[in-house]
Amino acid sequence: MTDLIIVAAGKGSRLSGAGNLPKALVPIINGESSVVRTVRFARNYRSIFVVTNQLRQEEWNPFFSAFPSATNIPISSGLGDGHAVLEAGKYCWRHDFEISPKTVVCWGDVFFRNDRLLDEMLTNTYDNAIIPA
């Protein structure tokens, strides 16, 4: 089975008009944010990890209440996307979770139109890869 890591650790400070929400939580279409759509479309993944900014946990709490199957990995922000992915790996190691050799990494502000691309990445021919979306 394949795991999904969603990098959404930004503060959203450059996104004007979003109120006090991190970018990945801003409603875009029909009141849905990009991270909500991604998790909803990723129903065939073994595990879903969302890397968030630990300073923004209050804004993330409603999301994790609505999607208890998604695991929150709060980190210090500002060190880049590579750091966020590394922290997700460390989290899995510390919690004795064996992450799949085939893991899909996508960013929290990617807006999927449907589940087709996520399903394609799930079933593609790569055996040992981190596949960025």
Side-chain angles (χ1 to χ4, degrees):
M1 294 289 289
T2 302
D3 300 310
L4 176 65
I5 297 172
I6 302 171
V7 177
K11 293 183 283 188
S13 55
R14 294 182 303 220
L15 185 64
S16 62
N20 196 30
L21 288 176
K23 184 169 45 172
L25 290 175
V26 174
I28 298 175
I29 295 178
N30 297 330
E32 264 190 335
S33 67
S34 57
V35 73
V36 165
R37 288 179 71 91
T38 301
V39 169
R40 199 165 50 79
F41 290 153
R43 63 191 166 276
N44 295 320
Y45 284 76
R46 178 179 71 166
S47 298
I48 301 169
F49 301 95
V50 184
V51 184
T52 62
N53 185 319
Q54 66 186 10
L55 299 175
R56 305 299 305 266
Q57 289 307 291
E58 188 174 314
E59 292 90 353
W60 279 101
N61 287 338
F63 169 81
F64 288 106
S65 293
F67 295 96
S69 61
T71 300
N72 182 21
I73 302 176
I75 66 167
S76 299
S77 187
L79 298 176
D81 293 339
H83 175 254
V85 174
L86 177 63
E87 288 300 312
K90 286 181 186 178
Y91 173 91
C92 292
W93 179 75
R94 284 191 309 267
H95 292 85
D96 291 326
F97 183 86
E98 188 174 331
I99 197 162
S100 169
K102 179 179 156 184
T103 299
V104 174
V105 177
C106 73
W107 280 253
D109 56 356
V110 172
F111 197 81
F112 293 101
R113 288 181 110 165
N114 54 46
D115 59 359
R116 190 169 144 205
L117 180 58
L118 279 169
D119 283 346
E120 186 176 313
M121 288 186 290
L122 184 67
T123 59
N124 69 26
T125 58
Y126 300 108
D127 291 328
N128 295 297
I130 291 181
I131 305 162

